[in-house]
Each structure stands twice: as structure tokens, then as C-alpha cells.
Amino acid sequence: LHRHAGVACQDQDVFVNAVGGVRISEPAADLAVALAMASSFRDRAIDPGTVAVGEIGLSGELRSVGQFERRLQEAARLGFNRVIVPGSVSRGALPQLPGVRVLRADTVGEAIETVLPADA
């Protein structure tokens, strides 16, 4: 996050804990965890209607994960109205869901700037 998104956390020990002690081994959770960490370090909340799906590569690029259509349909069913996805996801893999705005980002830095703009 420090190198690729400008989030000054290099001098911190960071521990991530999922509610209820659930183990997360899903690469699609990478982006959501990174956004939560950036939110904490910047002391600003992310809009609660936002969901993020994507894997983060070693150079900060966002990678697509499987079953995007199903994931987005479930997010919409749960009431989320804004979805952050990797720019590499083909438009054909994204369902048209009423009331759901899909925002694309190519890097973790772009995704953080999308949900936590520096000028806000």
C-alpha cells in the first residue's frame, strides 16, 4: 500500500481480522482488505454501499477473479449499490444491475482514489 498507493503504513504492524474469526483464503478479498486498511490509515470511512472484488498483484495491479457475474448479483441482492472491479474484467462478465454503479480501476492506487479521493 505504501509503494503502490501512497498509504503510509510501512512503519506499522497490521493485523487483519474477519468478523467471527472466519478464515479468508479467497484472492478476491485482496482489494476489499486493502481498501479497509487505507480507510483506517486515512481515518475516513468508505461509503457503506460499496463492495470491492479483485486480487492485487505484486506490482499493485488489480487482477480479475472468477464468477464476477454471480458475485455482483449477490452484492446487489444484499443492497450494495457501488462495485469496484479490476479494469481487466471484460464488460461482458459484468451484468447490468439496476441501481448498481460499477467502477473500474487498474491499480490498487486507483481503487483507493476512487473510494477515498484525496480532495474530499
Side-chain angles (χ1 to χ4, degrees):
L1 285 178
H2 171 69
R3 180 176 292 140
H4 301 295
V7 178
C9 59
Q10 69 278 8
D11 61 344
Q12 303 290 312
D13 291 329
V14 177
F15 298 91
V16 176
N17 187 16
V19 175
V22 175
R23 287 194 185 275
I24 300 175
S25 59
E26 168 67 61
D30 287 1
L31 181 55
V33 169
L35 293 178
M37 290 172 56
S39 171
S40 177
F41 278 98
R42 291 186 176 179
D43 198 26
R44 292 184 36 221
I46 294 172
D47 181 296
T50 302
V51 66
V53 180
E55 182 178 4
I56 300 173
L58 292 177
S59 62
E61 80 279 7
L62 297 183
R63 298 179 183 162
S64 181
V65 294
Q67 302 179 349
F68 255 95
E69 182 174 351
R70 193 165 147 210
R71 292 172 194 267
L72 269 54
Q73 288 172 341
E74 184 66 12
R77 188 186 71 77
L78 292 171
F80 290 97
N81 58 16
R82 186 168 76 155
V83 181
I84 311 298
V85 302
S88 62
V89 175
S90 72
R91 296 202 186 273
L94 299 172
Q96 297 297 318
L97 300 168
V100 176
R101 199 167 135 218
V102 176
L103 303 170
R104 303 164 79 80
D106 291 319
T107 66
V108 65
E110 286 180 27
I112 290 170
E113 186 59 30
T114 298
V115 297
L116 298 168
D119 59 356

